[in-house]
Amino acid sequence: GRGFLRVAPARLAVALSEHDPSSREHAYALAELAHASLWHDAPDAHDVARAALKTAVAVGDPAALAYACAAAAMSTVFRGDDGGPELAARGVAAATEARDWWAFVHAALWEANGTASNVEPAYAQLLQGRRESLEQLGAPHPYVAWMSADEAGVWLDVGHWEQCSDRLRVA
């Protein structure tokens, strides 16, 4: 509650986990450092995102991979490079395997961010598909509601108030 996704605690987590660079904890800490660093426009943010992905792939833990893929997708989208949606989709798949619903939502949102503008029907349609997947997987309602709320906002922006209203009923 002291600030939005602060970099210092993530750097500390990386420092504390460096003694075991092949651990899932270190891979996860790197992914979260990349995530925070990207939002704060840290000079090393994109390098950290690449390192997080490389580490998570080597470690092989699906949850760490989900977070690293989301951060790598975010980095790719921020740079305007190709491949962000594919990285994010890989993160969604890893999150599904790990049954980590926040990682699923995080990766799905970056998949959408890399695919279309958040004022285009394609953005809402991608969120809709991912929300439906969450429902089919039996994810807890708060995550389905989160996706429904984001989807509602896009439907409203593109002028489809009926779909917006339907999504808000779920959220």
Side-chain angles (χ1 to χ4, degrees), residues 20-42:
D20 188 359
S22 64
S23 68
R24 71 179 296 278
E25 291 79 9
H26 186 64
Y28 174 70
L30 280 170
E32 285 304 287
L33 176 57
H35 183 200
S37 295
L38 285 161
W39 277 125
H40 290 281
D41 201 25

Side-chain angles (χ1 to χ4, degrees), residues 54-167:
K54 181 179 177 183
T55 302
V57 168
V59 168
D61 178 74
L65 183 61
Y67 287 99
C69 284
M74 185 178 173
S75 172
T76 301
V77 170
F78 277 21
R79 288 189 324 263
D81 293 342
D82 293 332
E86 294 80 12
L87 281 166
R90 185 175 175 193
V92 168
T96 300
E97 181 182 344
R99 299 190 65 78
D100 186 321
W101 307 119
W102 161 239
F104 184 108
V105 169
H106 187 209
L109 291 173
W110 281 104
E111 182 182 25
N113 287 331
T115 300
S117 164
N118 65 348
V119 291
E120 294 179 60
Y123 192 99
Q125 290 161 348
L126 194 144
L127 293 182
Q128 177 182 350
R130 291 304 190 187
R131 174 192 40 83
E132 290 169 351
S133 293
L134 278 173
E135 291 169 339
Q136 292 165 359
L137 291 164
H141 182 71
Y143 300 99
V144 174
W146 189 330
M147 293 294 289
S148 287
D150 285 351
E151 187 185 337
V154 179
W155 287 127
L156 182 64
D157 288 342
V158 299
H160 295 282
W161 67 267
E162 298 92 348
Q163 288 163 297
C164 173
S165 179
D166 181 57
R167 291 298 87 222

